[in-house]
């Protein structure tokens, strides 16, 4: 059972995608906590499992994907994985946890005006249009859109960046305590990015909203987050306070990510950040690309070792205590 100051606790979460009889393990035994009131960053290169993790928390893994084993996921003490889909949609989604999805075009209904998306979300939770209109316009204004004008427009009339901002506004409509944002600012220009990041910081500080922020961009993670979790090939490689991870990362993968970004300004997207290679199926998943391997890295799979309340999955730290022991 999670503690009171824990916004989210995820334990032993594994997800597999089965295509043409072949299983791809997209997430392997993911276990982590997000503290109430923090901005928790999830970073990792494309395919590392970031969106799959968001979808699993949001009860939105669809075939050919499925959850394996018996994970436990608690959000503010509520067991959100064992409740029915219906209960999750009626009582948890939007009100306790909301999200900003990665793809803004697929997430809005092309036949509905922008304001109708707000009405739809509100009325499906028993709140009247009249009650929500002012709040919707306020939120649109907050994300730097002209509220009255944008409200009556259709999604295709907006740029990708504008749609992304609509989704951020929409995610806040029912005052959630936790918002999961998947690449929420990636489609925006740098000035708007900065503005939105500052709004997120402000929401976090003044209203205490907890944020899980998924990004390719280390500079954004450095600017915004309190804690960072590094994913590689569906596994947690490192979890730690942002300041420490940026300054002195423990895992060789994190080290190469940080050193590949001159003065922490850059993106992982499309950047050859580390030595080329595919994740290994035997031993450490990073052994094909790591500069610091020894024999054990090719034979055994490393645990997540604890160092000063942070975690790293690397045999170079094997003298430390494995997590949970
Ligand atoms: N619907 C699907 N069917 C089959 N495989 C999938 C599906 N969705 C994701 N995967 C696989 O699961 C793994 C993790 O994908 P995921 O989209 O979670 O990564 P990501 O870290 O969000 O990547 P990106 O940074 O590109 O958004 C990848 O190997 C991907 O190919
Ligand atoms: Mg993704």
């Amino acid at each position: 059972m999670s503690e009171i100051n824990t916004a989210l606790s995820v334990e032993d979460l594994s997800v597999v995608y089965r295509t043409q009889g072949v299983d791809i393990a997209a997430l392997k035994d993911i276990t982590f906590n997000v503290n109430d009131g923090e901005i928790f960053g999830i970073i990792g290169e494309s395919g590392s499992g970031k969106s799959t993790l968001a979808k699993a928390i949001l009860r939105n893994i669809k075939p050919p994907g499925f959850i394996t084993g018996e994970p436990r996921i608690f959000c503010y003490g509520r067991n959100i994985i064992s409740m029915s889909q219906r209960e999750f949609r009626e009582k948890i989604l939007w009100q306790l946890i909301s999200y900003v999805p990665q793809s803004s075009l697929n997430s809005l209904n092309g036949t509905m005006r922008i304001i109708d998306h707000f009405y739809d979300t509100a009325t499906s939770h028993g709140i009247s249009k009249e009650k929500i209109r002012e709040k919707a316009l306020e939120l649109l204004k907050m994300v730097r859109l002209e509220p009255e004008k944008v409200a009556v427009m259709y999604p295709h009339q907006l740029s990708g960046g504008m749609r992304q901002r609509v989704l951020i506004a929409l995610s806040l409509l029912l005052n959630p305590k936790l918002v999961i944002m998947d690449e929420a600012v990636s489609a925006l220009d740098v000035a708007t990015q900065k503005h939105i990041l500052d709004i997120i910081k402000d929401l976090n500080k003044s209203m205490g909203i907890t944020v899980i922020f998924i990004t390719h961009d280390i500079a954004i993670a450095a600017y915004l987050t309190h804690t960072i979790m590094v994913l590689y090939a569906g596994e947690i490689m490192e979890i730690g306070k942002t300041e420490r991870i940026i300054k002195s990362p423990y895992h060789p993968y994190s080290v190469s990510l940080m050193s590949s970004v001159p003065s922490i300004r850059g993106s992982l997207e499309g950047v050859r950040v580390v030595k080329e290679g595919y994740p290994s199926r035997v031993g450490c998943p990073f052994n094909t690309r790591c500069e610091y391997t020894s024999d054990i890295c090719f034979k055994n799979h490393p645990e997540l070792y604890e160092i000063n309340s942070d975690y790293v999955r690397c045999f170079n730290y094997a003298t430390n205590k494995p997590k949970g022991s």
Side-chain angles (χ1 to χ4, degrees):
M1 191 62 179
S2 54
E3 291 157 29
I4 204 80
N5 62 352
T6 304
L8 183 78
S9 79
V10 174
E11 263 179 73
D12 296 332
L13 173 64
S14 299
V15 174
V16 163
Y17 290 102
R18 182 167 293 164
T19 40
Q20 289 159 352
V22 179
D23 283 0
I24 296 171
L27 292 178
K28 296 174 209 158
D29 292 328
I30 298 291
T31 296
F32 67 99
N33 279 349
V34 176
N35 293 330
D36 184 30
E38 77 173 331
I39 306 182
F40 187 93
I42 301 178
I43 65 170
E45 58 198 46
S46 191
S48 56
K50 305 181 298 296
S51 296
T52 302
L53 177 52
K55 287 177 192 163
I57 296 165
L58 293 157
R59 302 282 307 263
N60 198 24
I61 297 286
K62 293 183 182 142
F66 55 93
I67 288 174
T68 64
E70 289 180 8
R72 287 168 296 286
I73 305 181
F74 285 85
C75 183
Y76 288 97
R78 308 277 302 269
N79 182 344
I80 58 171
I81 195 134
S82 68
M83 63 178 57
S84 69
Q85 278 286 356
R86 186 176 167 174
E87 190 179 0
F88 182 79
R89 263 184 278 120
E90 284 177 0
K91 298 195 181 142
I92 304 293
L93 196 60
W94 298 105
Q95 298 169 96
L96 191 63
I97 311 182
S98 73
Y99 69 107
V100 179
Q102 185 163 3
S103 162
S104 66
L105 192 56
N106 304 336
S107 317
L108 292 166
N109 183 335
T111 65
M112 277 163 56
R113 296 174 311 158
I114 295 304
I115 193 71
D116 296 329
H117 291 80
F118 288 81
Y119 291 159
D120 218 39
T121 304
T123 51
S124 67
H125 288 90
I127 303 163
S128 72
K129 286 183 184 182
E130 295 71 33
K131 257 195 167 157
I132 218 73
R133 184 179 165 82
E134 206 173 311
K135 174 99 193 273
L137 297 179
E138 218 174 82
L139 287 168
L140 287 171
K141 192 171 170 205
M142 192 180 76
V143 294
R144 262 194 180 170
L145 293 169
E146 286 179 67
E148 301 285 351
K149 191 171 156 198
V150 167
V152 293
M153 290 169 87
Y154 288 89
H156 73 269
Q157 296 174 297
L158 305 177
S159 70
M162 289 165 90
R163 285 196 297 266
Q164 199 64 36
R165 279 181 276 166
V166 167
L167 288 170
I168 293 172
L170 189 58
S171 75
L172 299 169
L173 187 69
L174 301 186
N175 305 317
K177 290 175 83 157
L178 170 67
V179 185
I180 301 178
M181 300 189 168
D182 192 353
E183 305 283 1
V185 297
S186 303
L188 309 179
D189 63 82
V190 173
T192 312
Q193 251 184 15
K194 169 86 169 49
H195 177 76
I196 300 288
L197 293 178
D198 288 337
I199 290 170
I200 296 168
K201 273 191 174 191
D202 188 51
L203 287 167
N204 168 258
K205 217 171 181 177
S206 61
M207 293 162 68
I209 293 181
T210 306
V211 179
I212 295 181
F213 198 89
I214 294 171
T215 182
H216 281 100
D217 194 320
I218 299 167
I220 287 178
Y223 180 70
L224 186 69
T225 67
H226 302 115
T227 303
I228 287 179
M229 178 162 88
V230 181
L231 287 186
Y232 181 71
E235 288 193 72
I236 297 171
M237 293 293 120
E238 181 160 359
I239 305 177
K241 289 280 157 266
T242 300
E243 218 182 305
R244 199 273 304 153
I245 292 212
I246 298 296
K247 272 201 213 134
S248 46
Y250 293 142
H251 197 282
Y253 177 54
S254 318
V255 171
S256 53
L257 290 182
M258 300 311 153
S259 58
S260 69
V261 183
S263 46
I264 311 296
R265 176 63 251 178
S267 161
L268 303 186
E269 196 162 28
V271 177
R272 191 63 64 200
V273 287
V274 269
K275 208 166 100 179
E276 282 192 49
Y278 291 104
S280 174
R281 284 161 187 262
V282 182
C284 173
F286 192 59
N287 65 19
T288 44
R289 302 166 78 182
C290 186
E291 312 276 355
Y292 308 92
T293 50
S294 51
D295 287 352
I296 193 170
C297 308
F298 296 95
K299 283 189 201 138
N300 296 342
H301 183 258
E303 311 249 10
L304 207 50
Y305 298 105
E306 187 174 343
I307 311 179
N308 304 325
S309 311
D310 286 352
Y311 297 100
V312 58
R313 188 183 300 283
C314 175
F315 283 118
N316 290 319
Y317 300 89
T319 48
N320 291 67
K321 188 166 68 127
K323 184 174 167 68
S325 65

